[in-house]
């Protein structure tokens, strides 16, 4: 039975370890099941869906900027960035924050997961990983990439960016675009999560700082290794105020659409866990009657397993009224 | 978190054997990190924060935009396209044949200074539809060869411009071979204007990428002439035109620094340019332009940053107002789960 189920939970105890050996998750006492499901189950679902959506977003942002640049190189496959920049994007400059989200993020704290057990339904109803959300994040990636590329290209249009009259070459455009991109993807993550511990602060701001440090170290290496990135930051980019102004502008501009979307959603169309965040913010969570009222009004008849999946797919086909009644009778 | 410690503090009692002697507790050592109870900041997007953010952005961006726009407006720029006009009328039917022929290609152009230009005034040449960022072109160079004499034979990446009759070309590659070779001699009111050609390349290029002991050899000796010739007695680190040209441009329309004028130009001055129209951009419909420009702290004449900052600052201010009105007009009772999607329809439904 444990092996037939989608997830089998075994309890290790006086009767031996046989259940534990054939289960996916082992716990020590039966009452730990409540925490396993309500707290860790909900967190796991929320973290993984955030992580995957964000992963698509950042790679799409990265790839689409390179693709857009190809249109200006007559599609000759000349990348917009130096080779090492390309390789290290997914290693140093944007990987740790997303791992921190996937491992540590908590949209509501454990206490609230117990208080509002219906948060678990977010997973059953597939609210946080619906196609709408995935496509929405991908679209966000595309518009971020469009903003980054075209704004950087326009601000360097005639390559006159330096107060000393020198012109901007390929490495200056690449360096500017890459800087904007590192800022945008990291700030986007900071905007989309609502749980900041020292871990998140270190990885997000650290990744951004690491980019500048890397530029300086890589630029200081001998030109036979760093080729066109040799001294690009210290000599060309950093002394030019237009570089800093462009970076600031692009990072704010790319995030405004998502910011508007999130503000409107949070205030006017909040999802269940966002409602819980509002309840916590307004201090109603200590009011036992209020909490009980919220729980009661959230309850809906649910089904499990095959029946739940069929009901969910049937809802998508807009024939849910009759089917829900049928399912309830069967359940 | 009281409820968590309450649920786990009874573990020792639970793990005690039926013999009721206190066995060693198997509870793992508590730490805030492993129990995921680190002190955390949990910000949410309240109306106050949203409006404040938009206002702060507009307060920062609008002055930045104004300052940038003023800086760009202060720059004086003269752009003169000469590639069509500098081909004499009888030759205009077949410009490619003209440019490849041996006729004298001098051309006289006149520029009028619209506003006072303070020194240093930079002279650029602008090329359009020239894909210096094409991958095969960008790869066609040998950095090792440019740096030191002993690496003269590292010419693999430079094909087809790698050797002449078995002897290596220095500097090899298509980038060097296509060196821009129009020249400009400027004069103001019949007094020649000195265009300084020193210091036009980036310092790191001159000192670290182009060797002081490397001299051009066998350069531009083949049947196909791609561009300018190089003085064999000057080391590569002094050939600033070559160094500027070899920093490949990012976009198909680009400018490169030709020289600096270190004296002021008054409004209304007539600048006479005697240029040699040597470079062949006619085979690929490219354009050539001569640009004289001053710079500001922001660079050249580019209104884009100023206008962009002002626009976004204005939009953010407008959004702050819109959100204020929205929050005042439509107060929503929060924490009321009847707004949940699966509760809106009786019996469920999304």
């Amino acid at each position: 039975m444990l092996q037939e189920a989608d997830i089998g939970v075994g309890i290790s105890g006086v009767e031996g370890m046989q259940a534990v050996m054939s289960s996916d998750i082992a716990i020590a006492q039966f009452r730990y099941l409540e925490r396993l499901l309500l707290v860790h189950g909900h967190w796991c679902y929320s973290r993984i869906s955030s992580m995957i959506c964000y992963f698509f977003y950042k790679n799409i942002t990265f790839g689409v900027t390179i693709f857009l640049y190809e249109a200006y190189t007559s599609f000759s496959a000349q990348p917009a960035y130096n080779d090492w920049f390309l390789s290290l994007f997914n290693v140093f400059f944007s990987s740790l924050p997303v791992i921190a989200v996937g491992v540590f993020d908590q949209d509501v704290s454990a206490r609230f997961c117990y208080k509002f057990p219906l948060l678990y339904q977010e997973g059953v109803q597939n609210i946080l990983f619906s196609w709408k959300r995935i496509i929405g994040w991908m679209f966000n990636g595309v518009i971020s990439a469009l903003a980054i590329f075209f704004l950087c290209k326009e601000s360097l249009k005639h390559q006159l960016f330096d107060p000393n009259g020198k012109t901007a070459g390929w490495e200056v455009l690449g360096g500017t675009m890459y800087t904007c991109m590192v800022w945008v993807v990291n700030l986007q993550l900071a905007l989309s999560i609502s749980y900041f511990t020292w871990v998140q602060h270190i990885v997000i701001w650290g990744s951004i700082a690491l980019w500048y440090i890397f530029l300086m170290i890589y630029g200081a290496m001998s030109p036979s290794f760093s080729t066109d990135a040799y001294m690009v930051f210290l000599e060309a980019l950093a002394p030019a105020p237009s570089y800093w102004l462009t970076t600031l502008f692009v990072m704010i501009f790319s995030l405004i659409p998502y910011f508007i979307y999130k503000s409107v959603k949070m205030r006017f169309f909040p999802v269940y866990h966002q409602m819980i965040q509002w309840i916590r913010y307004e201090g109603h969570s200590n009011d036992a009657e209020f909490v009980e009222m919220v729980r009661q009004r959230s309850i809906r008849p649910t089904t499990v397993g095959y029946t739940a999946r069929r009901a969910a797919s049937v809802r998508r086909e807009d024939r849910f009224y009759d089917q829900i009644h049928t399912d309830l009778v069967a359940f | 978190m009281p409820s968590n410690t309450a649920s786990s503090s009874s573990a020792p009692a639970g793990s005690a054997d039926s013999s009721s002697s206190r066995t060693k507790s198997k509870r793992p050592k508590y730490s805030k990190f492993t129990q995921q109870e680190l002190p955390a900041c949990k910000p949410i997007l309240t109306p106050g924060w949203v409006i404040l953010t938009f206002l702060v952005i507009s307060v920062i961006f609008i002055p930045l935009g104004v300052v940038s726009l003023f800086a760009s407006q202060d720059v004086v720029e003269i752009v003169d396209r000469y590639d069509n006009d500098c081909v004499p009328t009888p030759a205009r039917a077949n410009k490619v044949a003209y440019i490849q022929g041996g006729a004298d290609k001098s051309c006289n152009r006149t520029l009028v200074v619209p506003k006072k230009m303070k020194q240093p005034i930079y002279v650029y040449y602008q090329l359009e539809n020239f894909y210096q960022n094409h991958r095969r072109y960008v790869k066609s160079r040998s950095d090792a060869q440019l740096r030191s004499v002993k690496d003269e034979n590292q010419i693999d990446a430079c094909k087809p411009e790698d050797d002449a009759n078995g002897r290596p070309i220095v500097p090899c590659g298509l980038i060097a071979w296509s060196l821009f070779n129009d020249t400009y001699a400027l004069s103001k009111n019949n007094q020649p204007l000195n265009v300084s050609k020193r210091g036009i390349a980036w310092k790191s290029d001159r000192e670290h990428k182009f060797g002081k002991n490397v001299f051009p050899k066998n350069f531009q000796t083949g049947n196909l002439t791609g561009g300018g010739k190089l003085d064999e007695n000057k080391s590569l680190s002094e050939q600033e035109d070559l160094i500027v040209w070899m920093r490949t441009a990012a976009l198909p329309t680009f400018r490169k620094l030709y020289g600096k004028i270190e004296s002021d130009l008054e409004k209304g001055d007539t600048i006479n340019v005697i240029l040699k129209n040597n470079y062949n951009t006619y085979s690929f419909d490219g354009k050539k332009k001569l640009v004289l420009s001053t710079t500001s702290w922001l660079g050249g004449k580019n209104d884009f940053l100023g206008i962009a900052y002002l626009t976004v600052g204005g939009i953010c201010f407008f959004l702050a107002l819109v959100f204020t009105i929205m929050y005042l007009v439509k107060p929503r009772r929060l924490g009321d789960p009847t707004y949940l999607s699966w509760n809106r329809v009786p019996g469920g439904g999304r």
Side-chain angles (χ1 to χ4, degrees):
Chain A
M1 220 163 59
L2 277 169
Q3 301 195 323
E4 281 302 311
D6 289 334
I7 296 186
V9 180
I11 302 180
S12 63
V14 257
E15 277 110 20
M17 302 299 247
Q18 269 197 323
V20 165
M21 284 192 291
S22 49
S23 66
D24 301 305
I25 302 176
I27 53 180
Q29 297 189 17
F30 190 77
R31 64 192 171 89
Y32 295 159
L33 190 65
E34 186 189 14
R35 191 178 171 89
L36 176 70
L37 277 188
L38 296 182
V39 177
H40 295 287
H42 169 69
W43 279 350
C44 194
Y45 175 72
S46 151
R47 285 166 182 167
I48 290 183
S49 51
S50 297
M51 188 185 88
I52 295 179
C53 288
Y54 176 76
F55 220 95
F56 273 117
Y57 160 82
K58 79 168 163 81
N59 279 303
I60 286 179
T61 305
F62 179 57
V64 171
T65 49
I66 299 180
F67 174 74
L68 289 171
Y69 183 66
E70 291 310 308
Y72 289 83
T73 68
S74 65
F75 291 100
S76 65
Q78 168 69 11
Y81 313 119
N82 183 290
D83 296 338
W84 277 106
F85 295 1
L86 290 175
S87 316
L88 294 177
F89 178 71
N90 274 320
V91 176
F92 283 154
F93 310 122
S94 59
S95 63
L96 288 177
V98 76
I99 292 177
V101 164
V103 175
F104 295 112
D105 188 38
Q106 294 177 18
D107 49 356
V108 290
S109 68
R111 194 160 61 99
F112 285 89
C113 289
Y114 278 117
K115 268 200 184 145
F116 300 97
L118 233 80
L119 275 170
Y120 189 68
Q121 278 292 313
E122 278 191 342
V124 176
Q125 306 273 326
N126 199 25
I127 289 178
L128 297 178
F129 202 57
S130 56
W131 272 113
K132 214 169 72 154
R133 196 160 187 249
I134 298 175
I135 304 280
W137 273 104
M138 291 188 179
F139 179 68
N140 191 12
V142 171
I143 56 176
S144 293
L146 285 170
I148 292 173
F149 177 74
F150 283 108
L151 293 174
C152 285
K153 176 186 89 76
E154 277 305 304
S155 77
L156 284 176
K157 185 154 69 162
H158 290 303
Q159 295 89 41
L160 299 185
F161 77 112
D162 183 58
N164 293 322
K166 300 206 178 49
T167 51
W170 171 84
E171 58 284 324
V172 169
L173 179 69
T176 310
M177 272 168 53
Y178 202 95
T179 309
C180 295
M181 198 169 55
V182 167
W183 271 103
V184 167
V185 299
N186 283 310
L187 282 183
Q188 173 73 70
L189 186 72
L191 256 190
S192 67
I193 62 178
S194 51
Y195 177 75
F196 286 92
T197 61
W198 59 262
V199 175
Q200 272 87 355
H201 281 303
I202 289 183
V203 294
I204 293 179
W205 314 121
S207 294
I208 298 174
L210 188 61
W211 160 244
Y212 287 109
I213 295 175
F214 167 79
L215 254 187
M216 289 193 267
I217 295 180
Y218 183 50
M221 293 180 165
S222 128
S224 53
F225 182 66
S226 56
T227 59
D228 25 56
Y230 181 68
M231 301 298 275
V232 72
F233 181 67
L234 287 174
E235 188 190 28
L237 294 174
S242 74
Y243 165 74
W244 299 101
L245 282 180
T246 307
T247 309
L248 173 67
F249 180 72
V250 172
M251 93 173 100
I252 301 287
F253 183 85
S254 312
L255 294 175
I256 286 180
Y258 179 76
F259 187 73
I260 296 176
Y261 166 77
K262 193 168 181 203
S263 327
V264 171
K265 185 150 205 274
M266 186 71 182
R267 186 63 168 79
F268 298 109
F269 313 103
V271 183
Y272 198 52
H273 71 264
Q274 289 169 328
M275 277 192 221
I276 308 294
Q277 286 171 344
W278 276 116
I279 294 178
R280 179 194 74 216
Y281 172 75
E282 295 185 333
H284 289 142
S285 53
N286 298 321
D287 180 359
E289 267 186 40
F290 185 84
V291 168
E292 190 53 36
M293 183 263 296
V294 170
R295 287 167 70 147
Q296 286 304 321
R297 293 176 88 170
S298 322
I299 286 177
R300 54 143 283 165
T302 66
T303 50
V304 293
Y306 168 71
T307 331
R309 285 196 287 274
R310 210 170 120 249
S313 69
V314 152
R315 268 196 297 280
R316 277 196 286 277
E317 291 167 26
D318 277 311
R319 284 182 288 122
F320 52 80
Y321 286 110
D322 300 345
Q323 286 297 329
I324 290 290
H325 286 279
T326 321
D327 286 344
L328 281 178
V329 166
F331 179 72
Chain B
M1 301 283 171
S3 61
N4 289 346
T5 48
S7 63
S8 45
S9 64
S10 48
S15 67
D17 284 339
S18 52
S19 65
S20 82
S21 62
R22 295 275 287 189
T23 51
K24 198 155 166 245
S25 163
K26 292 190 186 141
R27 186 169 67 177
K29 189 159 177 298
Y30 173 82
S31 100
K32 283 203 179 146
F33 183 76
T34 55
Q35 292 300 317
Q36 304 186 57
E37 286 167 7
L38 288 169
C41 178
K42 297 176 197 171
I44 59 171
L45 278 180
T46 58
W49 274 112
V50 172
I51 297 173
L52 186 67
T53 309
F54 281 127
L55 280 179
V56 164
I57 293 177
S58 67
V59 159
I60 294 180
F61 274 28
I62 292 180
L64 275 178
V66 168
V67 161
S68 307
L69 202 55
F70 276 146
S72 169
Q73 300 285 359
D74 275 343
V75 170
V76 190
E77 192 185 66
I78 309 173
V79 180
D80 177 46
R81 182 179 173 191
Y82 63 85
D83 60 320
N84 271 337
D85 295 338
C86 273
V87 176
T89 335
R92 281 200 196 161
N94 193 350
K95 297 192 185 122
V96 179
Y98 166 74
I99 201 79
Q100 286 176 342
D104 175 38
K105 306 207 185 69
S106 294
C107 178
N108 252 331
R109 303 288 295 166
T110 317
L111 312 169
V112 179
V113 177
K115 247 169 78 171
K116 178 176 164 75
M117 293 170 85
K118 289 216 187 65
Q119 62 100 7
I121 303 169
Y122 296 93
V123 182
Y124 302 92
Y125 53 90
Q126 178 172 328
L127 286 164
E128 296 189 13
N129 205 29
F130 190 115
Y131 284 82
Q132 248 202 346
N133 53 15
H134 192 287
R135 184 178 167 79
R136 283 269 284 140
Y137 184 89
V138 170
K139 275 169 44 129
S140 182
R141 65 192 284 161
S142 167
D143 287 328
Q145 193 196 58
L146 295 171
R147 244 193 317 276
S148 84
V149 190
K150 57 180 170 52
D151 287 327
E152 199 176 76
N153 290 318
Q154 287 201 18
I155 51 175
D156 297 328
C158 291
K159 284 187 170 45
E161 284 299 317
D162 49 353
D163 63 11
N165 304 325
R167 284 148 71 228
I169 299 177
V170 177
C172 74
L174 283 172
I175 308 181
W177 176 79
S178 58
L179 175 65
F180 188 75
N181 60 351
D182 283 6
T183 55
Y184 313 103
L186 283 83
S187 61
K188 171 178 86 161
N189 305 334
N190 294 326
Q191 297 276 7
L193 266 182
N194 184 24
V195 178
S196 158
K197 308 269 288 170
R198 298 217 65 104
I200 55 176
W202 291 101
K203 191 152 159 287
S204 62
D205 280 354
R206 260 183 291 140
E207 297 188 359
H208 297 276
K209 289 201 195 154
F210 288 79
K212 293 193 182 35
N213 302 325
V214 187
F215 293 87
K217 259 166 48 169
N218 303 325
F219 188 68
Q220 214 70 261
T221 51
N223 287 335
L224 285 172
T225 308
K229 291 197 170 11
L230 290 175
D231 181 356
E232 299 215 340
N233 296 321
K234 270 168 90 172
S235 79
L236 286 191
S237 72
E238 290 167 31
Q239 308 258 19
E240 301 220 17
D241 279 329
L242 177 71
I243 299 176
V244 168
W245 181 254
M246 287 196 76
R247 267 240 169 183
T248 50
L251 300 166
T253 301
F254 60 90
R255 288 182 190 173
K256 286 197 186 284
L257 188 56
Y258 179 80
K260 262 192 289 211
I261 300 175
E262 264 140 6
S263 54
D264 290 352
L265 291 176
E266 303 300 325
K267 174 173 165 157
D269 275 353
T270 326
I271 313 280
N272 203 22
V273 184
I274 303 175
L275 59 90
K276 292 231 187 295
N277 184 22
N278 292 324
Y279 201 66
N280 179 12
T281 53
Y282 304 100
S283 335
F284 53 86
D285 286 330
K287 297 189 194 145
K288 289 191 285 188
K289 298 183 183 172
L290 176 65
V291 179
L292 270 75
S293 173
T294 55
T295 55
S296 64
W297 59 270
L298 201 55
K301 190 164 196 71
N302 193 352
D303 289 339
F304 175 73
L305 265 185
I307 297 181
Y309 266 102
L310 278 175
T311 314
V312 173
I315 290 179
C316 283
F317 185 74
F318 170 71
L319 281 173
L321 290 176
V322 165
F323 271 94
T324 315
I325 296 174
M326 252 172 38
Y327 290 141
L328 288 175
V329 162
K330 274 182 88 92
R332 271 254 184 159
R333 260 175 329 145
L334 303 159
D336 186 352
T338 45
Y339 291 120
L340 264 183
S341 60
W342 69 70
N343 274 332
R344 265 189 233 126
V345 178
R350 274 182 13 96

